[in-house]
Amino acid sequence: MLKSEDETGFNIVPFTWPKGYKSDGVHAGLRKDKKDMGWIFSETPAQAAGTYTTNQFQAAPTKLTKNTINQDHKLQAIIMNSANANSVTGNQGDLDAAKSQKLVADKLGIDQDLVGVASTGVIGEPLPMDIIEKGINELQLLDNDNATYAILTTDKHNKTISTQVQVAGKTVTISGFCKGSGMIHPKMATMLGFVLTDAKVADGLLQLMLSNEVETTFNQITVDGDTSTNDMVVTMANGQAGNDELTTDSPDYQNFVSAFNKVLAELAKDIAADGEGATKLVEVNVKNAANHDDAQKVSKAIVGSSLVKTAIFGQDANWGRIIAAIGQTNAKVDIDHTSVWLNGLALVDNSKTANFDEAEMKESLGNDKITILVDLNSGTATGQAWGCDLTYNYVRINASYRS
């Protein structure tokens, strides 16, 4: 990715680890021939925060990481694996997650309560601890990006981003990576996401930022309407940039939050675009809603509608599916004066067809990115969500997921 200056004053730079972080990823044997285990390590204990799935069958590693962070809001390492979710595996799953945590702590010579654990893959299968232990033994403290590949399942590519922003005269780096392609309908975050920074952040502030910014980013994407048992986003801040402690009163606080939001938003969009079988990224923008919540729920209802998603795949400008998705919500809507645009072309004008050119609209629907704009004519609030089309290939992938 080429370096560029964002309007908020921070730079998008080629992916790099912030100061004081090491990582690695290896092929341990959970998968046939791809990297399947990785870790992240901070040279010093870091402030930590997390958001986690609301699925009632929350996986053992997700529960363990949540409890670990909640103890003192600090982490120094995270061990992660793909191919096996260690979810719905009973007491043995809890023991295996804790053993993974201890193996990493012993190898790194750090406190066990400073190690997070993350898993993704097939639900209901015991974690093969011989392979896990082998993988941990092989991991090293390096500067490569192998960890960003070790968490992938049906993803077509790794998902990474780095930004830099000035905080109290120091250059601070924020880097994130994630995985997610199927079972994406977050109610907190996404499948697995990790955001690292070398900023020094006041106690408790990292959790506030993460919880707030997840709401408008990861919580506003959907691929298939299913919320995983393993979803989590974890962020760490180790203070190695040397900046004065960042607080809500710091002059650079808002710029830092904007950069942090940019990382989450770009990762969220990358997940939506990489949805299983997807051929198009779908972005929905809602304006003139009665309030922000209404705008958010309407935008997500549209990207989550199977009928809207299939119409976009088929390049069919069937705007009734969009209107129906809006109407299924309890948002305040002016039902006589709702308007819709698709890629800037008028589709619905005051709740009536805009008499668009079918050929022009079909050609526009062939784009890789589809942008839908909705005017609810009920206020001044705005909202945004991201999703993808629904294709034959999605069914093919998930019909044989375990094989």
Side-chain angles (χ1 to χ4, degrees):
M1 182 183 296
L2 295 177
K3 186 172 181 179
S4 62
E5 183 79 11
D6 188 270
E7 66 273 10
T8 54
F10 56 86
N11 290 321
I12 307 299
V13 299
F15 183 73
T16 184
W17 299 114
K19 292 179 182 176
Y21 290 96
K22 300 292 185 181
S23 72
D24 195 17
V26 298
H27 173 240
L30 294 167
R31 306 181 70 182
K32 185 176 179 179
D33 56 8
K34 297 180 180 179
K35 290 180 175 60
D36 48 28
M37 288 193 67
W39 68 4
I40 307 163
F41 172 72
S42 173
E43 294 171 356
T44 57
Q47 290 287 324
T51 54
Y52 315 91
T53 182
T54 57
N55 192 300
Q56 293 187 68
F57 289 97
Q58 197 173 83
T62 310
K63 290 186 294 183
L64 178 63
T65 299
K66 181 179 181 179
N67 292 337
T68 299
I69 290 177
N70 285 346
Q71 287 182 50
D72 198 29
H73 302 288
K74 284 185 169 58
L75 284 180
Q76 195 167 356
I78 304 173
I79 183 70
M80 55 200 76
N81 73 271
S82 58
N84 186 307
N86 191 15
S87 177
V88 199
T89 45
N91 184 60
Q92 188 59 50
D94 295 330
L95 294 174
D96 290 341
K99 184 177 180 180
S100 301
Q101 185 185 48
K102 186 176 189 308
L103 287 169
V104 170
D106 289 347
K107 178 168 181 175
L108 294 173
I110 63 176
D111 193 306
Q112 184 172 339
D113 289 335
L114 289 174
V115 180
V117 182
S119 300
T120 184
V122 176
I123 294 170
E125 295 184 358
L127 199 63
M129 290 308 296
D130 56 336
I131 297 178
I132 295 296
E133 187 165 0
K134 172 179 175 289
I136 291 171
N137 288 335
E138 292 177 359
L139 288 167
Q140 301 179 59
L141 299 178
L142 303 172
D143 292 319
N144 62 44
D145 64 350
N146 288 346
T148 70
Y149 292 92
I151 59 173
L152 306 184
T153 52
T154 55
D155 308 65
K156 293 190 287 291
H157 62 268
N158 67 331
K159 303 169 176 66
T160 64
I161 184 175
S162 291
T163 68
Q164 291 181 332
V165 62
Q166 294 296 306
V167 177
K170 301 292 184 179
T171 299
V172 165
T173 300
I174 309 171
S175 295
F177 69 102
C178 67
K179 67 85 53 186
S181 189
M183 287 190 77
I184 301 295
H185 189 72
K187 296 179 181 178
M188 60 87 240
T190 185
M191 287 291 290
L192 291 180
F194 307 96
V195 180
L196 312 175
T197 180
D198 47 21
K200 185 176 182 181
V201 179
D203 288 355
L205 185 56
L206 203 60
Q207 186 64 61
L208 175 67
M209 281 192 291
L210 181 63
S211 297
N212 286 344
E213 302 311 312
V214 153
E215 284 302 318
T216 57
T217 56
F218 286 125
N219 267 353
Q220 285 300 108
I221 60 173
T222 185
V223 170
D224 47 21
D226 289 308
T227 299
S228 171
T229 59
N230 290 59
D231 295 353
M232 74 166 78
V233 167
V234 173
T235 186
M236 298 168 63
N238 66 8
Q240 294 299 299
N243 62 288
D244 294 338
E245 184 175 79
L246 190 70
T247 71
T248 54
D249 295 325
S250 299
D252 295 315
Y253 175 70
Q254 288 302 328
N255 272 352
F256 182 86
V257 172
S258 294
F260 189 80
N261 177 277
K262 180 72 171 181
V263 169
L264 270 60
E266 291 303 308
L267 291 176
K269 286 189 280 186
D270 204 355
I271 287 173
D274 192 34
E276 288 175 341
T279 64
K280 308 175 195 299
L281 171 66
V282 181
E283 178 178 292
V284 175
N285 297 294
V286 173
K287 67 177 183 178
N288 296 326
N291 52 61
H292 181 64
D293 286 346
D294 275 5
Q296 292 291 83
K297 71 178 65 171
V298 167
S299 60
K300 196 167 183 182
I302 294 170
V303 296
S305 165
S306 293
L307 291 177
V308 172
K309 290 154 71 71
T310 51
I312 289 172
F313 171 63
Q315 296 178 223
D316 178 14
N318 187 350
W319 58 262
R321 295 181 172 184
I322 297 173
I323 291 295
I326 297 169
Q328 289 180 61
T329 72
N330 62 0
K332 183 178 180 181
V333 179
D334 185 338
I335 60 172
D336 295 317
H337 301 94
T338 295
S339 298
V340 181
W341 294 261
L342 192 150
N343 290 343
L345 303 174
L347 192 62
V348 179
D349 182 19
N350 288 315
S351 301
K352 297 181 179 66
T353 185
N355 295 318
F356 51 87
D357 184 291
E358 285 280 359
E360 181 183 28
M361 195 67 74
K362 186 176 182 65
E363 181 180 1
S364 182
L365 280 163
N367 294 347
D368 292 339
K369 180 179 178 182
I370 307 300
T371 302
I372 297 171
L373 173 63
V374 175
D375 185 350
L376 295 179
N377 197 37
S378 298
T380 59
T382 62
Q384 189 174 50
W386 301 275
C388 59
D389 56 346
L390 181 59
T391 71
Y392 306 120
N393 205 26
Y394 176 86
V395 177
R396 182 191 63 79
I397 291 168
N398 283 283
S400 56
Y401 183 79
R402 292 198 303 162
S403 56

